[in-house]
Amino acid sequence: MAQAGSHSAAGQMTGYLYQCELALLELAERSWDDATIEVRMELLDDIEFLDPETHTPLELLQSKHREAAGPLSETGKDFWRSVASWIDALKTLADPLAATMPLLRLVSTQVAPTDTFFHLLRSGPDRDVRKALTRMEEIAADTNGPGGTAKDRALFLALAPERRYQLVNAMIVHDGAPVMSDLNLSLAKELGITPSGHAQAALDAIKGWWYRMAVELLERKNPQRMRASVSAQELACMRDEVLHRYAEKDLPITESLRNLTETEIAGYEGRLVVSQMRWIDLPDVEIAMHLRSYHYARAQRSAWLRTFKITSERLEEYEQELHYEWERTFRRHTRRLRDHTSGTERQDVGQQVLDDTMDKVADKPARRGSTTAAWIGHGTIHSLADQVDTMRPDRALGWHPDYTDLCKQREEQDQ
């Protein structure tokens, strides 16, 4: 374990964590006005906000965290390294001289003194790009300036005059940002978490989700585990899900549970979900009843995902919970079967598994702390019964005691 002192990396680690949580804070702020905006990290800059259609940067953000705030220094490494980083990042854009140059933001916990170019580059009535540029050029050209920033300052001066102006014109200094220890208050406010007994639990739930997203955003070695970006809409969906969970609000039901037409029922003929019910000799009228739940539950889940009422992660958990109830029921009814048990008896056991499973899953909520219509659980468990022949053995389920063998026979016949 690292010891506190000259070799401690605590400040650097805090800076990384701050960058991650600042990205969440910035995305939360944008989610109220533009849910389509997307964020990514550590590609062109610390944090980037993207155009959802072109996936090109609208904003490049450098985050600088100093626990002991103090003033921003015009000759400091934090700023000039940011300038060099922006110059390098802009070289990768297709048309760096285009009018749609991304915004370049420096977010720092330090404060911009009034007599510095930092103050001139803040948003507001005192902003003066020309004066800021002149002062920056003076600082950059000073041969007595710190050696640690000499290369970065030289890189800035090497730009053509019009390019320097364009670069500085795109800069925004956001000083006095909250330090890491105060960030939770800002996050709770922007996420709409009101003070209550569950406020910290709600914030922890959202931050836990966000850190998982951050790991995927930073993944570089395994493309299958990497996320290109996270949208404000995804965050808004998770925020609503968490807040509804603690407020005990139900998911909206937008599908009406009407009887299926004969044509709609016929459309399911040949599907595994129907075969599963025929293997236990279920009457056609009951098959039609179960297909109705299957049909509308599938449509309702799609609507929730499409309108960002629930996350795919929560639906995955919901399916796991239903699968657990089926497994307990299946094991209880089939553990005493023997090889000589007749086919009719096995079908009877399968019907008991189906009926008892439906009773068990009826009360399982799709969103924790809420109430979900029983047919959502019924239809969702049938959707799992329709997927036994996929590559998800952990989700395999069926009603007949020998459903695995029957599924294999079905696959062989289809080949």
Side-chain angles (χ1 to χ4, degrees), residues 12 51 72 76 88 116 121 124 127-128 148 159 174 186 203 205 215 217 220 252 259 263 278 292 298 349 372 382 392:
Q12 187 177 16
D51 184 310
L72 279 165
D88 289 341
T116 63
L121 291 177
R127 181 175 174 82
D128 192 325
L159 296 174
H174 181 170
S186 299
L203 181 59
V215 169
L217 285 173
R220 295 293 183 267
N259 289 329
T263 301
R278 294 205 187 284
R292 179 175 58 173
R298 184 172 62 171
V349 168
T372 302
H382 278 303
R392 293 295 304 272

Side-chain angles (χ1 to χ4, degrees), residues 8 24 36 41 76 81 99 125 142 145 171 193 210 270 336 349 395:
S8 173
L24 173 59
T36 65
M41 292 192 291
R81 286 182 177 175
D142 186 358
M171 293 180 188
I193 300 175
W210 175 249
R336 291 189 177 87
V349 168
R395 294 298 176 87

Side-chain angles (χ1 to χ4, degrees), residues 325-343:
E325 295 299 337
W326 162 82
E327 186 172 16
R328 292 180 63 223
T329 303
F330 185 83
R331 301 303 174 201
R332 185 173 71 249
H333 284 297
T334 60
R335 64 189 174 203
R336 291 189 177 87
L337 290 178
R338 298 294 180 262
D339 291 342
H340 62 266
T341 303
S342 70

Side-chain angles (χ1 to χ4, degrees), residues 287-304:
I287 291 177
M289 177 191 69
H290 286 292
L291 284 178
R292 179 175 58 173
S293 297
Y294 172 74
H295 180 91
Y296 290 108
R298 184 172 62 171
Q300 187 63 75
R301 293 195 311 272
S302 296
W304 286 339

Side-chain angles (χ1 to χ4, degrees), residues 125-243:
D126 295 332
R127 181 175 174 82
D128 192 325
V129 175
R130 289 291 181 187
K131 286 185 179 180
L133 173 59
T134 299
R135 178 61 180 163
M136 283 177 60
E137 290 172 335
E138 292 173 358
I139 297 294
D142 186 358
T143 56
N144 294 319
T149 62
K151 289 184 179 180
D152 300 329
R153 289 183 285 119
L155 188 64
F156 173 70
L157 289 177
L159 296 174
E162 65 275 12
R163 182 61 169 153
R164 286 202 295 271
Y165 175 81
Q166 186 187 34
L167 184 75
V168 176
N169 188 49
M171 293 180 188
I172 296 285
V173 172
H174 181 170
D175 66 324
V179 295
M180 187 69 178
S181 55
D182 294 333
L183 211 54
N184 272 357
L185 294 174
S186 299
L187 279 170
K189 179 181 178 181
E190 289 301 332
L191 290 167
I193 300 175
T194 57
S196 69
H198 297 301
Q200 188 60 51
L203 181 59
D204 289 344
I206 294 174
K207 287 174 65 174
W209 168 83
W210 175 249
Y211 272 103
R212 291 194 297 274
M213 295 299 100
V215 169
E216 294 178 11
L217 285 173
L218 297 172
E219 174 64 57
R220 295 293 183 267
K221 294 183 179 180
N222 186 347
Q224 293 181 338
R225 297 176 57 187
M226 178 182 176
R227 287 182 67 98
S229 63
V230 178
S231 72
Q233 200 163 34
E234 290 176 278
L235 172 58
C237 179
M238 174 54 69
R239 177 187 65 212
D240 291 347
E241 183 174 293
V242 170
L243 295 182

